[in-house]
Amino acid sequence: MRPARVMVAVAVVGLLAGCSGGDGDGPTGASSSASATPTPTPLPSITARADNPTDAATEPGQSETNAVAGDEHQYATINAAKNAFEGAIVEAGQAVCDRVAYVAQIDQGQLQAALTDGELATADTAIPLLCPEFVPQLAEANKGFADGTVAVSASFDAGKTVAAGRYSAPAPSAGCSWKVVAADGSTLDEGKASKKVVTKGRSVTLTVSPEASQVTSTGCRVWVLAPSA
């Protein structure tokens, strides 16, 4: 009986050895497979901005044209280019914001000059939508004003007064509204951006007449001097 037991034990050992060898299920097989076919590095995708939870990262199988949302989508709509994906347009806008931030650290005067002479392309929409922390500089460079209430004066004083003229809000939100009043409290101009205007990436304008006393706006982000007709 003992020889039979020995033969059975040898058979079991051989079977176990066959299961663990060369089929790729054990540690040795896995290591060999991994070294022969390295895992490819995934391609980078556009991620959501931390301060805009409505923005979504590109998911596998998702169309590039729908890869961004919220303020980034509005920016892409305003600056739409033929045969260009929204994600690529937004990346270009974020590059403008990076440039603005870099120049601002070096010299505020250079930043004002770059904004005024158009060196920073699409800054009028990139700043209010993608890097709103620079709205005050944009308003000052364009002799405009940000949301809130400003007095009307014959001269311009950044953040305090604005001169009479025609102004444009290049990137209004759906809640953009404004009102221009005279010294006696009468309304000289008022309006509200329609949903259609915002979704189509259009700007809105207001007129500040010399008789105006102050201007108040909400949700329009920033007003800049409109080009002369």
Side-chain angles (χ1 to χ4, degrees), residues 20-202:
S20 63
D23 60 359
D25 293 334
T28 303
S31 175
S32 175
S33 175
S35 60
T37 308
T39 302
T41 302
L43 293 174
S45 60
I46 300 171
T47 56
R49 292 178 62 221
D51 59 347
N52 194 340
T54 62
D55 293 349
T58 304
E59 297 293 337
Q62 183 182 15
S63 170
E64 279 285 352
T65 58
N66 297 319
V68 296
D71 291 348
E72 293 180 346
H73 173 73
Q74 185 178 353
Y75 175 82
T77 300
I78 295 172
N79 297 284
K82 187 176 181 180
N83 298 325
F85 291 127
E86 283 191 348
I89 297 172
V90 170
E91 283 186 348
Q94 290 170 338
V96 172
C97 285
D98 291 342
R99 176 64 175 169
V100 169
Y102 175 75
V103 177
Q105 290 179 351
I106 297 175
D107 185 85
Q108 288 290 333
Q110 289 186 20
L111 175 60
Q112 295 299 324
L115 292 171
T116 302
D117 63 20
E119 178 185 336
L120 297 170
T122 73
D124 283 0
T125 51
I127 288 176
L129 291 170
L130 305 179
C131 45
E133 63 271 23
F134 295 108
V135 160
Q137 289 92 328
L138 175 63
E140 183 174 356
N142 289 277
K143 294 187 176 181
F145 56 99
D147 277 335
T149 299
V150 293
V152 179
S153 172
S155 60
F156 171 76
D157 187 357
K160 298 178 181 179
T161 65
V162 63
R166 186 168 174 267
Y167 295 85
S168 170
S173 72
C176 172
S177 63
W178 64 91
K179 189 173 186 179
V180 183
V181 299
D184 60 4
S186 60
T187 300
L188 299 175
D189 184 22
E190 65 179 335
K192 183 177 181 179
S194 67
K195 183 177 180 180
K196 183 178 180 180
V197 166
V198 175
T199 56
K200 287 186 175 295
R202 298 175 181 171

